[in-house]
Amino acid sequence: VLTGRVVEQGDVPVPDAVVTLGAGRGRGRGGGAPMPAPVTSDAQGRFRFEGVPAQVGWAQATAGDLLSDRVGVEPGDADLVLTVRPGGVLAGRVLHPDGRPATAFALQLVRLRRPDPPRTLSIVDPDGRWEARGLPSGMWELQALAADSGPSDRVRVELPASPGARVERDLRLRG
């Protein structure tokens, strides 16, 4: 069993936050038990995991655009506190080779040096604008894809660790 609370700064409870567990670095490879499914915090921000495998290494909470750091955990930890804060924002425009905005495109975001799954956003915007909110800090790789042009180059962007950080980057599709 692993229990805890999700709070905002000032110890304000965060209801309906999604709490995820992950295997620690170097643990859980080859034959480890699967991690429990994510759980949702209650009205007081409390959460509880049953049947936590030995290779658990971290917990993280998200609630809309808010997220916590990954906090180290051990099976049996009680009263773990996950403090959420505004996540970062990556934003920009996707442009055709001639500079016209792409009005329908997919944007792939991959967080490098972390085992997070890639994110793909489908976007329809007359000005080619895109925005991804609530992101953890770190190095991200971005690529835009559109049916009427070749894909953009893969572009690396560093999202700073400061709460609510915002980085703008335009992507140009190939002809």
Side-chain angles (χ1 to χ4, degrees):
V1 175
L2 187 146
T3 62
R5 295 181 308 126
V6 179
V7 298
E8 287 187 78
Q9 195 165 0
D11 208 38
V12 177
V14 178
D16 301 318
V18 176
V19 181
T20 305
L21 299 179
R25 190 171 284 189
R27 293 189 262 176
R29 296 206 196 291
M35 288 293 124
V39 298
T40 302
S41 62
D42 67 13
Q44 288 77 42
R46 294 182 305 237
F47 63 89
R48 178 183 182 92
F49 286 94
E50 300 283 345
V52 178
Q55 76 267 24
V56 70
W58 55 264
Q60 185 174 34
T62 59
D65 291 346
L66 303 174
L67 75 154
S68 73
D69 289 330
R70 285 185 175 180
V71 175
V73 297
E74 299 287 335
D77 278 354
D79 301 322
L80 179 68
V81 177
L82 300 174
T83 303
V84 294
R85 63 187 188 300
V89 177
L90 293 175
R93 295 178 69 203
V94 173
L95 305 169
H96 286 286
D98 63 4
R100 290 178 299 116
T103 58
F105 55 92
L107 181 70
Q108 294 179 337
L109 300 99
V110 177
R111 188 166 176 219
L112 302 176
R113 298 188 288 269
R114 286 285 191 163
D116 299 340
R119 302 169 191 223
T120 301
L121 307 174
S122 295
I123 298 172
V124 176
D125 183 271
D127 296 320
R129 295 195 185 284
W130 61 271
E131 186 172 273
R133 306 180 65 78
L135 300 175
S137 64
M139 184 65 71
W140 288 83
E141 185 176 80
L142 314 173
Q143 185 177 37
L145 305 138
D148 57 353
S149 293
S152 72
D153 288 335
R154 289 190 168 128
V155 175
R156 290 186 176 190
V157 176
E158 178 74 30
L159 186 58
S162 55
R166 182 181 182 92
V167 174
E168 302 242 353
R169 183 66 187 260
D170 292 347
L171 302 170
R172 193 169 293 265
L173 298 165
R174 289 188 228 138

